[in-house]
Amino acid sequence: MKELFNIETFRSKAKSVLNNKNFVETNEYILQLEGLLNEVLSGGPGFEKAEKEQNPENVENYKEMYQLLRMMCDNVPDMIWAKNLNNEYIFTNKAISEGLLLASDTTEPIGKTDMFFAQRARQLFPENSEWHTFGEICRDTDTIVLQNKAPQRFNEYGNIKGKFLYLDVIKAPFYDSEGNIIGTVGSGRNITHEHQLQIQHDQALESLKTQ
């Protein structure tokens, strides 16, 4: 059986993540955050036991873990989220709530899907087909991850509020404390500028070849 959660162990892990000074330049920071997110959201024997025994101290420890995780996730520029098997959000950080879903806060996406927010955005300017196109030409990457049962990397892109957005996305299966897949967990980094520079570079090379 999985070991009970320990608040001191979690604090140590969180401190290690926060001390990663290269988190903006690397994906390691996000991968560590995804791991902590998995620990907290998947519950586990420790949380179930604390609730069953009505242990106030343990319940408070879990609240502290969640609040600490929330603060970490909301203070990074990358988008972080988790979904259930119905592709409904069960966690979103500030970056994805504001930058992709255009939600009012981080609680609004809970229980809703990407399609809900995409349709709502399109309805704002129905006469402008380019206002919101994000995800229209991308594969169903959540399904791919669930079928392969392994972390994978994708490029997802389209327009948000009429502006092009290109994301470097990492998704992985989301397991509960018993090892069952209960959804997906993911992160997305905005690399629109880098993508545009790469296009310009490729165009310049192609132009040189034709001269």
Side-chain angles (χ1 to χ4, degrees), residues 192-211:
T192 307
H193 180 64
E194 292 83 350
H195 175 67
Q196 292 172 337
L197 289 177
Q198 184 62 51
I199 291 177
Q200 294 172 8
H201 175 73
D202 294 342
Q203 290 175 341
L205 288 180
E206 189 63 28
S207 178
L208 289 174
K209 292 179 182 178
T210 59
Q211 289 181 359

Side-chain angles (χ1 to χ4, degrees), residues 113-206:
T113 65
D114 290 301
M115 187 55 64
F116 170 86
F117 293 99
Q119 290 177 343
R120 186 173 72 176
R122 291 168 189 153
Q123 289 171 359
L124 293 175
F125 296 93
E127 72 285 354
N128 185 354
S129 61
E130 297 301 313
W131 177 252
H132 188 103
T133 65
F134 193 91
E136 288 183 359
I137 56 179
C138 298
R139 297 171 295 172
D140 186 356
T141 52
D142 291 325
T143 300
I144 294 173
V145 168
L146 291 174
Q147 289 176 342
N148 294 334
K149 299 181 180 180
Q152 291 189 246
R153 197 168 187 169
F154 307 94
N155 293 322
E156 298 188 5
Y157 47 88
N159 287 357
I160 301 292
K161 297 172 68 173
K163 296 183 178 180
F164 185 69
L165 176 68
Y166 195 96
L167 298 180
D168 175 17
V169 174
I170 298 175
K171 293 185 178 182
F174 189 15
Y175 294 93
D176 65 12
S177 59
E178 303 300 323
N180 303 306
I181 295 179
I182 58 175
T184 57
V185 60
S187 64
R189 174 163 294 184
N190 185 347
I191 59 168
T192 307
H193 180 64
E194 292 83 350
H195 175 67
Q196 292 172 337
L197 289 177
Q198 184 62 51
I199 291 177
Q200 294 172 8
H201 175 73
D202 294 342
Q203 290 175 341
L205 288 180
E206 189 63 28

